[in-house]
Amino acid sequence: MNSSPQASKCPKCGSEELGKGKHSGYAVISPMNKMMSMGSDVEHIICTDCGFIVESYVTKPEKFKGTR
């Protein structure tokens, strides 16, 4: 997956000023049914005018293969 922003405009306020951030600390998504997996960080594309989270994605999507 390409981790660069896909969105170019905030759907809430219409601003084109977007930034990128990630959860810190224990904010990791872990795959279901994979007990030993460390999971993946979650990154967000955020509107820098109104604060709306436009997109969210994991940085290591391959860790979730076969979990469904």
Side-chain angles (χ1 to χ4, degrees):
M1 176 177 179
N2 184 355
S3 62
S4 64
Q6 300 298 312
S8 60
K9 189 175 189 180
C10 176
K12 185 173 181 181
C13 74
S15 174
E16 294 182 2
E17 296 292 324
L18 303 178
K20 187 175 181 179
K22 73 173 190 170
H23 274 95
S24 60
Y26 296 109
V28 171
I29 292 182
S30 299
M32 300 287 290
N33 305 324
K34 288 189 175 182
M35 300 292 282
M36 302 304 285
S37 178
M38 296 298 291
S40 178
D41 288 334
V42 181
E43 293 187 355
H44 307 282
I45 303 304
I46 303 160
C47 176
T48 59
D49 286 329
C50 74
F52 187 74
I53 297 174
V54 178
E55 291 182 4
S56 295
Y57 51 88
V58 295
T59 58
K60 298 178 182 173
E62 66 278 1
K63 291 192 173 214
F64 298 88
K65 290 186 184 277
T67 58
R68 189 168 168 191

